[in-house]
Amino acid sequence: MVNVLEVTGLHVGYAPDVHAVRGVCLTVREGEVLGIVGESGSGKTALALAVMGLLPPGAAATGSVRLRGSELLGRSDAELSRMRGRDLAMVFQDPLSALTPVYPVGDQIAETIRIHAGATRSAARARAVELLDLVGIPGASRRARAYPHEFSGGMRQRVMIAMAIANDPVAIVADEPTTALDVTIQAQVLDVLAVAKQATGAAIVLITHDLAMVAGFADRVMVMYAGRAVESGPVDEIYRRPRMPYTIGLLQSLPRIDGAAGTDTAGGPPRRARKAPIEGVPPDASARLDGCPFLPRCPVAAAECARGEPEPVPVGPAGHTAACVNTAATADPAEVFPVLEAADPPPVRRPRQERPIVLEVDGLVRHHPLYRGTLLRRRAGTVHAVDGIAFDVREGETLALVGESGCGKTTALMEILRLSRPQRGRIAVLGEDTSALHPARRRALRRDVQVVFQDPFTSLDPRMRVADILAEPLTTHGLPVGERVEELLDLVGLDPVQAGRYPHGLSGGQRQRVGIARALALEPRLLLLDEPVASLDVSVQAGVMDLFEDLRARLGLAYLFVAHDLAVVRRIADRVAVMHVGRIVEIGPVDDVYGEPAHPYTRALLDAVPLPDPFLERRRRRTPLQGEPPDPTDPPAGCRFRSRCFRYTTLTAGESRLCDESDPQTRSVDLDPERVVACHHPLVAVRAGR
């Protein structure tokens, strides 16, 4: 195959002492997918911007970037503009900010065709519709006249891919194209990229922090750390036999959805057994590096690691290289990051039915009025955000609420956090009905219910030091501060010296630990967790999830865990409730639901989660989930999932009529009252009633 993109000795600096990319070399062949992975700050995006010639003013790039043998570095912006969109295209991380908000998407795609191919206006518009249809936009001719804000996140990303392939480029750079998307949309975007590759034959550089996604999509992988490529080679070889300790740590940190209850796919440790995490944080791009940059975090470091930065050396077949001088110690990944043995046996918990209920939700409804107009506002409809859900959380238990964006997970959490009368239904916290609380009792009850938000940087006051952030809830409730700040920092694994720092001086994982410490300051009994690890690197996620488990065991906490990452949910939750368009469609023990889902929607969600194993991922039989969720302002009659249900298409006319006309009620699965499903034609045996 022909080499399409060649990068040699690439250096990118943002200031005299800030080195974002340091001597990276890579080659991508025609029709090949190269996955570039690594933690935040490893230089992945700086590399992509340098290749595209989109570095900000003040940044400098040296080395060589060749596209089909033609040098790109040093060219003027006008010359690069003629190549971008024609021979070299990019799919950006945030399509909403990449698309022009005041022009229809069809016009934006047609513009690139007219500029680079010289097509007429009508021919360019016709080609734009063809491209939208190719990437799976339903009603392409109609949606071509829509504006970016009228599309969902996944649909906007499809528009970006359509624009990228409009002129049949030879190379496509995709920078985190699935970040912040639901797992179902992620799977659809990857399918669209695969279609784009097949239609154009383009080479693809996929930049991501999601190693599971790379496993089934990429042909080769390059792992970056501290601005350098520390390991590269065929995807099967690296995932099966990683040799750089950093790569091993990243792969070991990945949560997985597969495996029998209690074990992983390799027959290894129980599902809740922990592998040693990657301690510490990556070096700053301005730091002076003596020796291997991974040395402070490496569990198998040797004396020679400090004598100089290692160069990549061959460690396996087909071009597998690793920048490590101690590869003899990395032959067995389990020895590098071993399974951690618990110091004490886990406490024996009473059966679930014998433990007190901490949170009870029954028939909860939250509808939001929808208004149109500015001067003359009028009621135009109702958003059915939460539409009659019921569940309970018991002492020492973690219940996860999962589902696609817009299904009502966070709305339900916020309704509970208000501790007030719900629109309809009942919420009881620690046995007290929130609709009957007096102000003084509501204030006192807030000590027992705390929340950890998704983004720790925006949830912490940037003007306050960590010590003041942790002391604030104590002083608000009239409690002594004393040594409590130091105790809280120790509880979440932070050094006392960090009490004097501001949030911007902490890493993402450290900021999230501060948020957890603040939530624990008042010794609550229930923690509401709103995507608490979604914005963290996989290595940091593992440490934070371990912390949640430790705190639950030590303090007897109960968690309501809102998430869209089903692999993380299996790692941390006891029970899972699956939401779709404001309703809970299935609920039960996490191993039972994951092992044998009863609702077709649950099956589709699980099938969309990638496995961090190239061999298994490429051989999976997936259940496709087509289309978008119904409009919450006008949910359909009958089953709200039927328009996307793979099972619905196989039913007889009489069976499908039930789905069309009747709203499914919850029924027990396998005679188990703890596991219920709301489906007329579930995938497993059920009985009527609860």
Side-chain angles (χ1 to χ4, degrees):
M1 290 188 292
V2 179
N3 290 341
V4 173
L5 182 65
E6 297 175 273
V7 176
T8 307
L10 180 65
H11 291 260
V12 177
Y14 287 95
D17 297 324
V18 178
H19 307 284
V21 178
R22 303 182 300 117
V24 168
C25 300
L26 62 89
T27 301
V28 192
R29 300 180 180 89
E30 182 179 336
E32 184 180 54
V33 178
L34 171 67
I36 301 180
V37 300
E39 293 173 290
S40 300
S42 61
K44 306 186 300 297
T45 297
L47 169 62
L49 294 177
V51 169
M52 295 296 300
L54 295 174
L55 288 170
T62 59
S64 175
V65 177
R66 292 180 174 271
L67 184 68
R68 291 196 299 189
S70 179
E71 181 63 53
L72 300 183
L73 288 189
R75 292 200 178 204
S76 67
D77 188 63
E79 292 176 300
L80 289 174
S81 295
R82 286 192 289 270
M83 300 184 69
R84 287 193 295 258
R86 185 189 65 196
D87 300 321
L88 184 62
M90 187 165 185
V91 179
F92 292 94
Q93 177 175 347
D94 183 6
L96 187 60
S97 60
L99 295 170
T100 303
V102 295
Y103 291 104
V105 298
D107 290 353
Q108 297 186 52
I109 298 173
E111 182 183 26
T112 66
I113 299 171
R114 293 178 59 202
I115 290 174
H116 293 290
T120 63
R121 187 182 299 272
S122 60
R125 285 179 175 173
R127 175 61 175 159
V129 173
E130 291 178 10
L131 289 165
L132 290 174
D133 183 65
L134 178 67
V135 299
I137 300 291
S141 59
R142 175 177 56 86
R143 299 307 299 274
R145 299 188 294 272
Y147 292 86
H149 71 271
E150 298 179 276
F151 289 80
S152 66
M155 289 294 182
R156 284 194 292 265
Q157 198 61 281
R158 289 174 186 236
V159 172
M160 282 294 304
I161 295 172
M163 189 180 298
I165 66 175
N167 294 291
D168 296 330
V170 297
I172 300 173
V173 178
D175 184 16
E176 301 275 13
T178 62
T179 297
L181 298 179
D182 296 315
V183 290
T184 53
I185 306 302
Q186 286 181 5
Q188 292 173 16
V189 169
L190 288 182
D191 289 342
V192 171
L193 278 174
V195 169
K197 185 186 74 168
Q198 186 176 11
T200 64
I204 296 179
V205 177
L206 176 63
I207 294 173
T208 181
H209 65 273
D210 189 342
L211 281 83
M213 181 181 72
V214 168
F217 187 72
D219 301 300
R220 293 190 300 117
V221 177
M222 184 175 80
V223 183
M224 290 191 68
Y225 186 77
R228 297 198 70 192
V230 296
E231 186 162 9
S232 61
V235 64
D236 297 272
E237 174 70 14
I238 286 184
Y239 278 68
R240 188 179 301 115
R241 286 181 288 270
R243 300 303 299 273
M244 171 66 187
Y246 177 61
T247 309
I248 294 171
L250 290 180
L251 291 172
Q252 297 281 65
S253 299
L254 288 173
R256 300 178 65 133
I257 65 161
D258 58 340
T263 61
D264 64 13
T265 53
R271 178 173 60 84
R272 297 193 184 278
R274 303 176 186 175
K275 296 175 181 179
I278 304 178
E279 302 289 352
V281 295
D284 189 85
S286 62
R288 177 182 175 182
L289 300 174
D290 295 319
C292 175
F294 191 61
L295 174 62
R297 309 173 71 190
C298 183
V300 293
E304 58 265 34
C305 298
R307 295 174 187 155
E309 190 165 2
E311 294 296 326
V313 296
V315 294
H320 184 186
T321 63
C324 182
V325 299
N326 198 18
T327 54
T330 63
D332 183 3
E335 294 294 328
V336 180
F337 287 93
V339 175
L340 299 178
E341 297 292 339
D344 300 305
V348 178
R349 291 193 294 174
R350 290 178 292 166
R352 182 174 187 273
Q353 294 296 338
E354 297 179 8
R355 283 179 273 142
I357 295 176
V358 176
L359 171 67
E360 185 176 13
V361 174
D362 186 24
L364 179 63
V365 171
R366 182 61 183 179
H367 294 170
H368 299 288
L370 183 65
Y371 294 97
R372 303 284 188 193
T374 52
L375 295 177
L376 298 174
R377 298 188 71 200
R378 62 188 184 279
R379 179 78 174 264
T382 300
V383 178
H384 297 253
V386 176
D387 215 3
I389 64 173
F391 60 83
D392 62 67
V393 183
R394 294 181 181 258
E395 184 181 86
E397 180 180 68
T398 300
L399 172 68
L401 282 178
V402 303
E404 295 171 289
S405 297
C407 69
K409 306 185 302 292
T410 298
T411 300
L413 184 144
M414 292 304 171
E415 284 296 294
I416 296 166
L417 190 62
R418 289 172 61 222
L419 295 181
S420 59
R421 181 187 298 276
Q423 205 169 56
R424 287 205 302 273
R426 178 176 179 271
I427 300 174
V429 177
L430 299 176
E432 299 193 53
D433 192 330
T434 58
S435 63
L437 292 176
H438 296 292
R441 183 55 195 150
R442 179 176 294 111
R443 177 186 173 89
L445 192 59
R446 288 197 186 280
R447 291 182 52 179
D448 293 311
V449 183
Q450 293 292 308
V451 62
V452 178
F453 294 101
Q454 176 177 347
D455 185 358
F457 195 70
T458 56
S459 63
L460 301 177
D461 192 329
R463 301 165 299 176
M464 297 175 65
R465 298 181 189 271
V466 169
D468 298 327
I469 291 172
L470 299 184
E472 185 180 35
L474 297 170
T475 55
T476 299
H477 285 268
L479 300 175
V481 177
E483 304 296 322
R484 184 61 175 158
V485 169
E486 289 75 12
E487 292 174 1
L488 290 169
L489 290 173
D490 180 68
L491 186 64
V492 298
L494 293 176
D495 194 285
V497 72
Q498 289 162 334
R501 296 182 180 176
Y502 291 93
H504 69 266
L506 304 175
S507 68
Q510 289 172 333
R511 284 194 292 267
Q512 193 61 290
R513 288 173 183 260
V514 171
I516 297 168
R518 180 180 61 182
L520 296 174
L522 300 173
E523 300 182 354
R525 294 177 59 185
L526 172 66
L527 274 187
L528 308 180
L529 308 175
D530 186 16
E531 303 272 13
V533 298
S535 61
L536 304 178
D537 290 313
V538 63
S539 56
V540 181
Q541 277 187 5
V544 173
M545 286 190 292
D546 287 346
L547 174 62
F548 280 130
E549 289 199 69
D550 285 338
L551 294 173
R552 184 177 66 166
R554 292 163 59 185
L555 305 177
L557 295 172
Y559 297 141
L560 178 61
F561 186 86
V562 169
H564 69 267
D565 190 331
L566 278 80
V568 168
V569 166
R570 182 156 201 181
R571 169 71 174 78
I572 197 172
D574 300 299
R575 300 172 70 240
V576 59
V578 182
M579 290 192 68
H580 180 262
V581 196
R583 301 275 181 84
I584 290 179
V585 297
E586 184 169 1
I587 187 170
V590 66
D591 287 326
D592 293 344
V593 173
Y594 278 55
E596 193 176 15
H599 199 283
Y601 179 58
T602 308
R603 173 78 279 166
L605 287 179
L606 292 171
D607 281 355
V609 181
L611 295 174
D613 185 317
F615 181 83
L616 295 177
E617 178 62 18
R618 289 169 181 164
R619 288 158 179 80
R620 291 175 70 191
R621 296 181 61 184
R622 295 182 178 274
T623 302
L625 182 60
Q626 302 296 332
E628 297 286 306
D631 186 350
T633 64
D634 186 24
C639 175
R640 298 182 178 184
F641 183 64
R642 70 179 188 275
S643 63
R644 312 170 72 195
C645 181
F646 64 90
R647 191 167 176 80
Y648 178 79
T649 59
T650 67
L651 300 176
T652 66
E655 292 172 331
S656 62
R657 188 179 303 113
L658 184 62
C659 300
D660 295 335
E661 300 174 355
S662 176
D663 190 11
Q665 301 301 308
T666 56
R667 296 185 287 172
S668 296
V669 177
D670 294 332
L671 305 180
D672 182 1
E674 293 294 329
R675 186 179 177 197
V676 298
V677 61
C679 180
H680 292 304
H681 306 286
L683 305 177
V684 297
V686 300
R687 66 179 174 85
R690 281 194 61 175

